[in-house]
């Protein structure tokens, strides 16, 4: 029986701490076994992750955008079905890469580790729906610290693969359409940092 093994690999991005992970996969004539998370592999590669306290799975129709949201939690994100175009924005005022944008096509076996305060968003590009899995190191709660950035802010330069109609609620929620620009978000977060004791 022919067996092919794809090793675990870690790639850095333009955003400090945002990592693209290519998971170990074993292929044979029956199909594929794909590791989703192995603590020892992450530890050996120096990737800080977990323990995970909440997992969410979204189903998102083709062309729809979710995000950009940057809560006070580390996220490990991937797809379990379909493909998405992931977009990430560094909204941490004290980060060496503040304002940086990274985009990553995600398919099964590709994950992104998103640091606290980095905004995470995606557009489903598969026909039908994509299933996007979030692992959080904190439980989400109303009013938890965080921020949002308008995914259509032209200053971000994100080229969403499928054109987005801002008034189409099947493509973009009212909340995300009304989110502030990156400049407005950073201005607010910087003020909050200065006021902190």
């Amino acid at each position: 029986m022919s067996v092919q093994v794809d090793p675990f690999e870690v790639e850095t991005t333009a955003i400090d701490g945002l990592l693209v992970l290519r998971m170990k996969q074993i292929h044979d004539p029956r199909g594929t076994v794909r590791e989703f998370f192995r603590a020892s592999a992450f530890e050996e590669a120096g990737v800080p992750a977990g323990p995970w306290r909440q997992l969410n799975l979204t189903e998102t129709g083709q062309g729809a955008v979710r995000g950009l949201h940057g809560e006070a939690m580390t996220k490990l994100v991937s797809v379990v079905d379909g493909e998405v175009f992931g977009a990430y924005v560094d909204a941490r005022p004290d980060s060496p890469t503040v304002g940086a944008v990274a985009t990553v096509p995600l398919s099964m076996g590709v994950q992104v580790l998103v640091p606290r305060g980095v905004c995470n968003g995606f557009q489903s590009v598969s026909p039908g729906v994509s299933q996007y899995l979030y692992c959080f190191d904190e439980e989400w709660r109303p009013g938890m610290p965080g921020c949002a950035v308008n995914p259509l802010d032209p200053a971000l330069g994100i080229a969403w693969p499928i054109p987005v109609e801002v008034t189409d609620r099947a493509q973009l929620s009212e909340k995300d359409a009304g989110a502030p620009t990156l400049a407005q978000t950073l201005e607010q977060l910087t003020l909050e940092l200065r006021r902190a004791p």
Side-chain angles (χ1 to χ4, degrees), residues 159-181:
W160 297 104
I162 298 171
V164 179
E165 173 51 55
V166 71
T167 60
D168 182 352
R169 293 300 163 246
Q171 277 199 301
L172 190 65
S173 73
E174 186 173 353
K175 180 180 176 182
D176 290 343
T181 65

Side-chain angles (χ1 to χ4, degrees), residues 78-192:
S78 187
V79 293
V80 293
D81 189 34
E83 295 182 357
V84 305
F85 176 81
Y88 311 92
V89 178
D90 193 345
R92 302 168 295 179
D94 55 352
S95 168
T97 56
V98 63
V101 176
T103 59
V104 180
L106 276 85
S107 56
M108 290 185 289
V110 179
Q111 300 176 354
V112 177
L113 184 71
V114 185
R116 293 171 182 255
V118 171
C119 293
N120 167 72
F122 68 91
Q123 183 178 52
S124 176
V125 296
S126 295
V129 298
S130 295
Q131 295 185 336
Y132 190 81
L133 181 66
Y134 303 78
C135 303
F136 304 126
D137 69 352
E138 296 288 342
E139 291 185 20
W140 183 88
R141 63 188 186 284
M144 78 182 307
C147 66
V149 172
N150 189 311
L152 302 182
D153 176 1
L156 301 176
I158 298 172
W160 297 104
I162 298 171
V164 179
E165 173 51 55
V166 71
T167 60
D168 182 352
R169 293 300 163 246
Q171 277 199 301
L172 190 65
S173 73
E174 186 173 353
K175 180 180 176 182
D176 290 343
T181 65
L182 176 61
Q184 292 167 331
T185 296
L186 289 175
E187 181 179 4
Q188 180 63 37
L189 292 172
T190 301
L191 285 172
E192 291 171 11

Side-chain angles (χ1 to χ4, degrees), residues 8-10 17-23 35-39 42 47-57 73-80 88 106 109-116 118 120 132-138:
F8 178 72
E9 297 177 344
V10 180
L18 183 89
L19 302 174
V20 178
L21 311 172
R22 300 194 187 280
M23 305 312 293
E35 289 185 357
F36 188 84
F37 178 74
R38 180 190 288 258
F42 278 62
V47 177
W52 306 116
R53 298 188 47 86
Q54 180 175 338
L55 278 69
N56 287 5
L57 181 66
M73 58 174 73
T74 299
K75 302 172 188 173
L76 179 66
V77 299
S78 187
V79 293
V80 293
Y88 311 92
L106 276 85
V110 179
Q111 300 176 354
V112 177
L113 184 71
V114 185
R116 293 171 182 255
V118 171
N120 167 72
Y132 190 81
L133 181 66
Y134 303 78
C135 303
F136 304 126
D137 69 352
E138 296 288 342

